[in-house]
Amino acid sequence: MTAATHSTLFPQVPDSADAVLEGLDPEQREVATALHGPVCVLAGAGTGKTRAITHRIAYGVRAGILQPSSVLAVTFTNRAAGEMRGRLRQLGAAGVQARTFHSAALRQLQYFWPKAVGGGLPRIIDRKIQTIADAAAACRIRLDRNELRDVTAEIEWSKVTRTVPADYAAAAARAGREAPRDAAEIAQLYATYEDLKRDRAVIDFEDVLLLTVGILQDRHDIAEEVRAQYQHFVVDEYQDVSPLQQRLLELWLGDRDSLCVVGDASQTIYSFTGATPDHLLDFRTRHPGATVVKLVRDYRSSPQVVRLANGLLSQARGRAAEHRLELISQRAPGPEPVFAEYTDEPAEAEGAARRIRDLIATGVPAAEIAILFRTNSQSEIYEQALADVGVPYQLRGAERFFDRPEVRKAGIALRGAARFGANDSLLDDAVDLPSQVRAVLSGEGWTPTPPAGSGAVRERWESLAALVNLAQDFAATKPGATLADLVAELDERANAQHAPTVQGVTLASLHSAKGLEWDVVFLVGVAEGMMPIAYAKTDEQIEEERRLLYVGITRAREHLHVSWALSRSPGGRPGRRPSRFLDGLRPGSTAATGRTAAPGAGGVVRGFSTAAPAVLSRRTSRTPARCRVCGRTLSDPGEMKLMRCDDCPSDMDEGLYERLREWRAVQANRSGQPAFCVFTDRTLIAIAEAVPGDAGELARISGVGVRKLNRYGTDVLAICAGRDGAGEDEDG
């Protein structure tokens, strides 16, 4: 058989229940065949838990033990639910409900609200922050933007932990939460927020669960109707359930025990939202007769990556650590993880971007590379660094694939061609399905060669290219398939949100990377103060940060790069040190004090020691940057660009700034990149304040590197001199 017949996109549907079990390892098979009574699956990272539970459901359906419509599989993200529906369809178990807690609850709430309450369900507000701001105004409490966000998080935590306003102060103290304001003030804001929602006849995201729980508790007839519909439950990522979600699950179950839960206490990373692994760890206590299966065969990561992950958890403390799973890699050996130290954060970003560019040049697909960071605020510097070296990227959490305008238009075009293709001259020379798709999508902007640069034009091309690749895989596994067949497949995938792969390096926070994997992972900013984050103070908070790093490490299949910077900004004091979590794990360090990794051993890379000595020399020779207005030492990257404090007065030439913005817009449009990839707003402000007269003065402005100086310098200097910057945009 050819490789195409084994495509993971379009596998052949198993022809029997027993065929569903083929290819499962002994532990996965135990999960798949344990169809009666409570089942608890303790599944380590990369051990095939989704495979095990989807095959379990499919085996039960195909064997006639489970009715598809009676199964409710609960996940924590729409993406995971869509993936599960797609897998079940491929296994011949279409019709099983796979939803998030909120999606399942909302469906029930909309159906039963007229019967339980009367009238239509109140409108759900998309963002509660404005209503909370209104509550603060009503209470005459002033909140800045950060406090408003933190108070919102406290109210959300209160609701998912089933804490009412009057009990907030005591509950927060018991949980060890550091309230952003006085606890009495937060309780007052919480109560006023609830009053405002009631007055405005609206509900929020958490109310969907609370109201569903309330109806099922109060109306036994409705609860029995739900239980008659759903006989069997599967809950993925069970370590992340909140008390409110657990209560809803109990109401769905009633006095039955047909429940399978799957989780890993070592991947509990959402406790700040109310999630707790206690429900997973106490499962045997609540269900003494439960079947417990441990999955420890890691099919995702190389032995080298697994060794690092196991080593990290071996130093963990606390209840979750007592139940950690020792992973055993099932893959061939790979390279040792690389540890890299840089002088500052821009150097770290540039180093990662260059390594990624080189990996892509050797044939590694951009879609198989990810940069993972602790906070979303770290993203921008990596976006800029990747744009500077011409590497396309995509932000995790961006618009869903099938919701993109170009994908919707392409779907319309393909549907039209499927119906009326016989009269379309575009298809005259198309001899098979892939060539037909290429012909149709060429009218939507697809070309055999990708456009230069990154940005919107490249992103649109990548979307269309993903559809072209999908058509090739579909035709390879289903010979004789027509355009109409492909359109039907796309419709099913859209309904399941089962998107094809889009080419581009993924930028994501560690939290949003949960459940994903790549061939190559760059873990960046792994320094004290960022990992663990500075505000993690208690032992429990520190251990959750360790688990977050564990999640990051276990996203990598083969190549893992771990890096940190000694200072935040160029010229800053090099006072940072690598994360304590790396002590005893990076070569040359010890668990007790390990300050510096020894060079040479275990794939250690010492910053720019071999990659770019000239850049290192230029960076380390700088003196500390000081505000040119007040003389204060600068450390913020934005202030470093301007060479002044944000609060100090600006002497910017407003007219020059506007001319630079107009010129930038032309350049961005010409190259198909976002405007910030030419120059950020901060850099334009810095140029308009400095008004450089020659290349040397322009080069001294932060954000104007050698590449951009060569590419845009002539234009920028001409604009600064009062002339038109009309030079052609050429790659340099």
Side-chain angles (χ1 to χ4, degrees):
M1 302 177 86
T2 65
T5 61
H6 292 285
S7 168
T8 57
L9 287 172
F10 305 103
Q12 299 297 320
V13 175
D15 57 11
S16 66
D18 288 341
V20 171
L21 302 178
E22 292 178 2
L24 300 181
D25 69 29
E27 294 78 22
Q28 291 171 343
R29 185 178 285 253
E30 285 289 335
V31 174
T33 55
L35 293 172
H36 301 286
V39 177
C40 179
V41 183
L42 301 176
T47 56
K49 67 180 180 63
T50 305
R51 176 180 174 83
I53 58 177
T54 52
H55 281 68
R56 179 181 189 272
I57 295 170
Y59 177 72
V61 169
R62 300 292 296 277
I65 299 171
L66 304 176
Q67 292 299 315
S69 60
S70 72
V71 180
L72 178 59
V74 186
T75 69
F76 275 78
T77 66
N78 288 318
R79 181 199 62 80
E83 179 184 349
M84 186 173 289
R85 287 193 295 270
R87 290 198 188 195
L88 289 169
R89 181 167 60 89
Q90 292 165 354
L91 290 170
V96 172
Q97 291 292 313
R99 296 181 175 275
T100 65
F101 271 104
H102 281 87
S103 172
L106 179 59
R107 198 163 181 247
Q108 294 172 20
L109 194 61
Q110 289 170 328
Y111 182 80
F112 290 112
W113 185 268
K115 179 178 179 180
V117 182
L121 183 68
R123 179 176 65 87
I124 302 173
I125 53 176
D126 293 330
R127 297 176 69 249
K128 60 175 66 68
I129 199 163
Q130 183 56 56
T131 308
I132 293 174
D134 294 342
C139 296
R140 297 184 178 179
I141 297 174
R142 292 178 60 87
L143 298 177
D144 63 29
R145 183 185 303 174
N146 290 331
E147 288 176 319
L148 189 58
R149 181 194 62 203
D150 292 342
V151 168
T152 300
E154 287 302 295
I155 291 175
E156 290 174 348
W157 172 83
S158 300
K159 299 185 78 164
V160 301
T161 56
R162 306 177 73 196
T163 302
V164 298
D167 296 338
Y168 168 76
R174 283 195 305 272
R177 294 182 75 83
E178 294 186 12
R181 303 278 296 205
D182 179 76
E185 282 188 333
I186 293 178
Q188 182 187 6
L189 288 167
Y190 180 11
T192 306
Y193 167 70
E194 293 298 316
D195 290 340
L196 281 177
K197 285 196 291 111
R198 194 175 301 110
D199 294 342
R200 297 172 181 179
V202 297
I203 60 177
D204 63 24
F205 198 56
E206 289 73 34
D207 289 333
V208 171
L209 297 184
L210 283 164
L211 291 170
T212 306
V213 165
I215 289 174
L216 295 179
Q217 285 180 158
D218 296 342
R219 293 289 300 267
H220 296 290
D221 57 329
I222 292 176
E224 288 306 316
E225 193 172 341
V226 171
R227 292 167 192 159
Q229 169 70 49
Y230 296 116
Q231 307 289 325
H232 190 86
F233 297 86
V234 177
V235 184
D236 196 9
E237 304 289 3
Y238 192 57
Q239 77 278 353
D240 288 330
V241 296
S242 68
L244 179 56
Q245 291 166 332
Q246 175 64 22
R247 180 57 184 149
L248 178 59
L249 178 62
E250 291 167 355
L251 288 166
W252 282 340
L253 272 168
D255 59 2
R256 299 166 299 173
D257 63 0
S258 187
L259 170 67
C260 174
V261 300
V262 189
D264 178 10
S266 296
Q267 296 187 70
T268 304
I269 59 174
Y270 297 108
S271 66
F272 61 92
T273 67
T276 170
D278 289 345
H279 305 300
L280 175 68
L281 299 178
D282 293 338
F283 192 83
R284 284 290 296 274
T285 302
R286 296 196 312 277
H287 303 280
T291 299
V292 178
V293 182
K294 293 183 179 180
L295 303 182
V296 296
R297 302 176 197 245
D298 187 325
Y299 297 95
R300 175 188 300 156
S301 302
S302 69
Q304 287 74 12
V305 172
V306 166
R307 187 181 307 123
L308 181 63
N310 285 338
L312 177 69
L313 287 189
S314 70
Q315 302 175 8
R317 301 290 181 267
R319 191 180 183 209
E322 294 170 2
H323 296 267
R324 71 184 181 90
L325 300 168
E326 186 86 12
L327 299 178
I328 304 170
S329 176
Q330 306 298 299
R331 289 177 58 112
E336 290 289 340
V338 173
F339 297 87
E341 181 176 282
Y342 294 88
T343 55
D344 51 61
E345 289 183 2
E348 185 179 9
E350 291 166 10
R354 283 198 304 272
R355 289 178 181 275
I356 289 171
R357 178 194 59 196
D358 294 343
L359 284 166
I360 293 173
T362 64
V364 178
E368 288 298 342
I369 304 174
I371 298 177
L372 307 181
F373 31 74
R374 176 61 180 82
T375 66
N376 287 318
S377 63
Q378 295 168 270
S379 172
E380 182 179 2
I381 193 171
Y382 288 92
E383 294 176 49
Q384 183 68 64
L386 291 172
D388 283 346
V389 296
V391 171
Y393 61 86
Q394 55 181 330
L395 292 173
R396 175 79 187 138
E399 190 175 29
R400 294 192 297 186
F401 181 82
F402 287 105
D403 292 337
R404 297 175 185 176
E406 66 271 17
V407 174
R408 290 200 301 268
K409 285 184 63 181
I412 293 170
L414 289 169
R415 186 170 285 104
R419 290 179 180 173
F420 311 112
N423 300 319
D424 192 339
S425 60
L426 268 178
L427 303 181
D428 287 348
D429 298 324
V431 296
D432 55 18
L433 178 59
S435 60
Q436 289 174 338
V437 171
R438 289 193 293 268
V440 172
L441 296 188
S442 65
E444 301 300 320
W446 178 82
T447 56
T449 304
S454 58
V457 172
R458 179 62 182 248
E459 288 175 4
R460 286 194 294 271
W461 184 90
E462 294 287 0
S463 296
L464 298 177
L467 293 175
V468 170
N469 293 335
L470 191 77
Q472 291 171 341
D473 284 329
F474 188 65
T477 54
K478 297 186 181 298
T482 65
L483 262 179
D485 296 329
L486 177 64
V487 167
E489 174 67 23
L490 290 175
D491 287 342
E492 290 192 21
R493 292 172 76 88
N495 291 333
Q497 283 300 329
H498 185 190
T501 300
V502 177
Q503 288 300 320
V505 172
T506 300
L507 295 175
S509 70
L510 286 165
H511 282 100
S512 65
K514 180 78 168 60
L516 303 175
E517 60 187 74
W518 296 270
D519 285 345
V520 185
V521 168
F522 286 76
L523 292 177
V524 299
V526 189
E528 285 292 306
M530 193 60 73
M531 180 58 67
I533 199 77
Y535 53 74
K537 303 294 186 184
T538 67
D539 289 344
E540 292 81 3
Q541 290 168 339
I542 295 296
E543 286 307 315
E544 180 144 339
E545 292 288 299
R546 187 193 306 275
R547 294 194 294 269
L548 189 57
L549 181 59
Y550 173 79
V551 167
I553 290 171
T554 55
R555 300 311 95 193
R557 296 192 191 104
E558 186 171 8
H559 296 275
L560 179 64
H561 298 252
V562 183
S563 64
W564 58 91
L566 297 178
S567 67
R568 180 177 182 181
S569 306
R573 184 174 66 85
R576 290 181 175 177
R577 61 160 300 226
S579 168
R580 72 190 75 171
F581 298 146
L582 301 180
D583 290 348
L585 300 177
R586 56 191 176 91
S589 68
T590 64
T593 58
R595 287 279 181 181
T596 307
V604 177
V605 177
R606 307 295 299 163
F608 286 108
S609 58
T610 58
V615 177
L616 176 61
S617 173
R618 175 170 61 82
R619 290 187 176 279
T620 55
S621 65
R622 291 180 179 172
T623 57
R626 298 185 183 278
C627 174
R628 53 187 168 80
V629 180
C630 70
R632 181 178 70 85
T633 299
L634 302 176
S635 59
D636 180 79
E639 293 181 341
M640 294 283 293
K641 279 186 180 290
L642 301 180
M643 291 305 293
R644 64 170 173 81
C645 304
D646 276 333
D647 297 334
C648 286
S650 169
D651 54 358
M652 180 178 72
D653 182 332
E654 296 283 354
L656 174 57
Y657 176 65
E658 289 304 319
R659 291 195 299 276
L660 287 168
R661 281 174 56 86
E662 292 170 2
W663 165 84
R664 181 182 65 175
V666 172
Q667 296 298 319
N669 184 62
R670 184 179 293 165
S671 61
Q673 301 183 80
F676 72 81
C677 291
V678 180
F679 284 120
T680 64
D681 285 346
R682 287 265 187 177
T683 301
L684 292 189
I685 292 172
I687 294 171
E689 288 183 348
V691 193
D694 57 39
E697 293 178 2
L698 179 59
R700 282 193 287 273
I701 295 174
S702 179
V704 182
V706 174
R707 181 172 176 270
K708 290 192 176 182
L709 182 65
N710 293 337
R711 189 171 190 176
Y712 303 123
T714 302
D715 278 9
V716 171
L717 291 172
I719 295 170
C720 290
R723 302 189 302 273
D724 288 338
E728 288 299 315
D729 178 26
E730 297 176 340
D731 287 333

